[in-house]
Amino acid sequence: MDKKKRVGILISGRGSNMRSLIEAAKNPNFPAQIVVVISNRPKAAGLQTAQDEGIKNLAIDHRKYDNRTAFEEDLHQALVEAKVDLICNAGFLRLLTADFVDKWHDRQLNIHPSLLPSFKGLHTHQRVLEAGIKITGCTVHLVRTDMDAGPIIAQSAVCVEPGDDEERLSARVLAAEHLLYPHALELFASEKVIVKNERIELADQNLTQADNRSGPIFSPTLPLKQQL
Ligand code: GRF
């Protein structure tokens, strides 16, 4: 395998997606290694998880900065110091300026708990339930200046089930996220997929669709016949 990509993970909270990436990267065949975890919140639970896993971790507290640019300069510096090739945002709750996003163009991934481009932004599951749609899911995409936009690397579908509330639905989507993010990072870090005209395409047209599967489709708990 070519040299593993060095990945920095940005978090703000519990870091369960971060954990799924750390676990996946333990596989010797995984094309990426997690070299640093950075949180903009010093109390983020994910920092302790990274510490327990022996991964370099640090807090860069955005509240200590007068402006976004100064915060992002330190963030950028820390990533450069760790010799990061790729950034994975995993529940990172700071909007990034165009300046930062451009510096990491095509090198920064994000996970969002909906099937983008639908339901960008916050309170996704609540809005999904209000809209009454029957299939939602999660998306891993490259970061662009527009929030939750950017070429889509992989998606996974999750059925909205009768009786779902925000808690139940978000738990099932989160379970899908934990499978999807390592899958998407594997595709991207191994360069099996590339960015072409702002879309993600298979690098080698001889690869089958299975090589670019979008993760599991989470089926409803009821067999289809019983739902009709
Ligand atoms: C996830 O649902 C992710 O899609 C969203 O924020 C949540 C973070 O959860 N961007 P965790 O910190 O990874 O547990």
Side-chain angles (χ1 to χ4, degrees), residues 50-132:
Q51 178 71 19
D52 295 344
E53 292 287 343
I55 294 172
K56 182 180 156 122
N57 60 92
L58 55 143
I60 301 181
D61 188 348
H62 66 276
R63 291 166 307 182
K64 292 194 173 152
Y65 294 83
D66 291 340
N67 56 64
R68 248 174 230 279
T69 309
F71 163 72
E72 288 179 358
E73 265 166 23
D74 277 5
L75 183 60
H76 177 72
Q77 205 45 46
L79 291 161
V80 170
E81 266 165 34
K83 298 191 173 62
V84 160
D85 300 308
L86 296 174
I87 303 174
C88 286
N89 295 1
F92 181 64
L93 300 175
R94 290 303 288 167
L95 282 181
L96 295 162
T97 66
D99 196 39
F100 184 92
V101 171
D102 287 348
K103 278 184 191 145
W104 293 93
H105 189 78
D106 287 350
R107 294 194 295 151
Q108 187 176 16
L109 283 63
N110 181 47
I111 186 154
H112 182 76
S114 78
L115 290 177
L116 291 173
S118 295
F119 302 100
K120 296 175 177 175
L122 295 173
H123 310 299
T124 320
H125 305 299
Q126 185 191 321
R127 288 184 290 127
V128 159
L129 290 166
E130 278 165 15

Side-chain angles (χ1 to χ4, degrees), residues 173-208:
V173 173
L174 192 66
E177 291 181 46
H178 295 161
L179 297 174
L180 185 69
Y181 213 168
H183 168 67
L185 178 60
E186 199 269 326
L187 283 177
F188 196 73
S190 63
E191 296 173 16
K192 281 184 194 154
V193 295
I194 49 168
V195 194
K196 206 169 164 190
N197 301 326
E198 283 299 271
R199 290 158 60 103
I200 297 289
E201 289 189 9
L202 288 175
D204 175 355
Q205 294 305 323
N206 293 324
L207 288 178
T208 63

